[in-house]
Each structure stands twice: as C-alpha cells, then as structure tokens.
Amino acid sequence: MARQYRTTLPSPYLKRVRLDPARIPPDRPYPFDLPLFRDGDFALDFDAPVTIIVGENGVGKSTLIEGLAAAAGFDPAGGGPGYRPMDHSAAVETNGDVLAPALRLSWLPKVGQGWFFRAESFFSVARYLDQAALEVGAAPPDFLSFSHGEGFLRFFGERCGRQGIFFFDEPESALSPRRQFDFLRILRTIQSGANAQVIMATHSPILMALPGARLLSMTPAGLDPVSIEELPHYRLYREFILDPAGTIEAMLA
C-alpha cells in the first residue's frame, strides 16, 4: 500500500496532465486513436478542488479517468493506492490504463492516498476490502449488506473525508435523484475543506450543477469549460420536465 503523506497545502494537488507524443505507440491503437488524443498534443490543467467532465458515450471520458487514475498509482479496477482487487491476467478488453505510460502528471505536492471509484467494479472492491479486514482480524466494512445506492453513499461518506485525490467514473449510477443530492453534500464538504481533489466523469445534471466546480465538456474537438445551461444533458432534461409527452414523442419518432 502506498505511503501515507499529508500536506497542509490546499487542493488541487494534481495541477496538470499532458500526453507525451514520444510515448504514443507508432500504430496508435485504442485509446490513442480517440479524437481527444489523435493529435498528440492533449493537455489539461486543474485549478479547482472538483473537476467534472461531461460528454456523450464514446468520446473518452471514462478512458481519461482510468488513465489518470492508473498514472496516479491506482489499479484499473478501482480501490486505493496499492490495492489489487482483481486479477487482470486473463483480461481481453483494453481499458484506459494503457494511457498511463504516455501521460505526464504534474503535482504540487504529490499525494499518496485517495481512491479510484468505478461503479461496475464496486462489488469486487468491496469484497476485497472485507477479505483484507478479515485477514488481519478486523471488522469488515461490509458495504454490500446495504442496498446498491446505500452502499455507494456509505462508502463515499467514509472514504471521501480523508485527504487525497479521488477519481469517480459515473458515481451516480446507483443513486436516486435525491441520493445524488446527498453525494453533492459530500462533494461540497470536500470543496470547503480544500484538503482533497475530485476528478469525476458523470451524465447526471444534478452532479454537474455543483457550485464552484470546474465543468468541462468533452467532445471530439477536445475539452472546453462550459456552463451547465450550455450542455445537451441539461437542455434535454429541461425539455423533458417541461413537456414529458412531447419530448418522448419527438425522441421516439
């Protein structure tokens, strides 16, 4: 497990990431063939405790989150630094962690703690935590004895109160709209404490609306700052709320 290092400096700790063209494979396999990385000059600065990345399926949001997390020392399946909750030896899929060797991360300071949360591997990580606790004679955290959403929130509440960097890939996947507001309170606590950094990909307009967060829209053209009112997610939800029947009819036509 990574050495725990604490700092009195405020977040964000990860200041910048860039793609090193010299580290891109010559045949440019996935994910280097994504429009976001195709030109080889990708770079992104972080200037707020919470950065939220929004975009359509397939543009590279999760791939970027996975690549950043792997470059920061997290396992592709998620968990804390040094955790290895899954055996990847037989995996056939290509994930964003193959980006990690080509990414250059700039820190001030480098923090050695945090968490990478992936909704699809949450159960594997939770079982890993339970087994690790039992092996040393401790009480397991037992996140899986709760409903899917309640387990998520209990996990977020326990882990996100600590100093570190946290990567979230679609954390709203098991949360009802009301529970998403509970998660927003956790993010607000992180902002006010300024001792942790969050980089998150989401499709939830509720999470996108967090005041003070840096909101970025990912498209094939790149990553650009945006207001929530400019996002297709927001506009579509707004149309649906104002006219559910008309919106459904138009979308199904």
Side-chain angles (χ1 to χ4, degrees), residues 91-103:
V92 296
E93 72 277 9
T94 299
N95 292 317
D97 58 296
V98 300
L99 265 180
L103 295 178

Side-chain angles (χ1 to χ4, degrees), residues 55-253:
E56 274 298 334
N57 293 331
V59 295
K61 300 185 310 301
S62 294
T63 299
L64 178 58
I65 295 292
E66 292 168 7
L68 287 171
F74 297 86
D75 187 82
Y83 286 49
R84 296 294 179 264
M86 296 177 65
D87 180 8
H88 302 284
S89 60
V92 296
E93 72 277 9
T94 299
N95 292 317
D97 58 296
V98 300
L99 265 180
L103 295 178
R104 292 292 175 261
L105 276 57
S106 300
W107 302 81
L108 186 63
K110 172 70 169 68
V111 291
Q113 59 269 23
W115 201 268
F116 174 29
F117 177 85
R118 297 185 67 194
E120 61 265 39
S121 58
F122 173 74
F123 289 102
S124 296
V125 174
R127 292 190 184 98
Y128 175 88
L129 292 174
D130 287 346
Q131 184 60 38
L134 291 172
E135 288 177 356
V136 297
D142 195 21
F143 296 114
L144 299 181
S145 291
F146 299 81
S147 72
H148 199 183
E150 291 295 327
F152 274 33
L153 276 178
R154 187 167 179 264
F155 170 84
F156 294 148
E158 177 184 312
R159 298 284 164 169
C160 296
R162 309 172 185 181
Q163 186 176 76
I165 186 165
F166 297 88
F167 299 94
F168 292 112
D169 187 17
E170 300 180 14
E172 75 278 7
S173 61
L175 301 179
S176 70
R178 182 173 294 276
R179 290 306 191 187
Q180 290 179 40
F181 282 102
D182 292 335
F183 183 54
L184 277 183
R185 294 188 185 96
I186 294 173
L187 295 178
R188 173 52 67 89
T189 299
I190 289 174
Q191 287 177 315
S192 61
N195 70 340
Q197 180 177 2
V198 170
I199 302 172
M200 175 174 68
T202 183
H203 289 294
S204 167
I206 293 175
L207 301 189
M208 297 172 197
L210 176 69
R214 188 184 187 206
L215 187 60
L216 299 173
S217 174
M218 181 181 289
T219 67
L223 271 167
D224 296 293
V226 68
S227 67
I228 187 171
E229 292 83 4
E230 298 174 280
L231 289 169
H233 301 70
Y234 171 85
R235 294 199 299 267
L236 182 58
Y237 272 78
R238 185 176 184 274
E239 290 173 8
F240 175 76
I241 294 299
L242 293 175
D243 182 13
T247 303
I248 293 296
E249 182 178 354
M251 296 301 290
L252 295 182

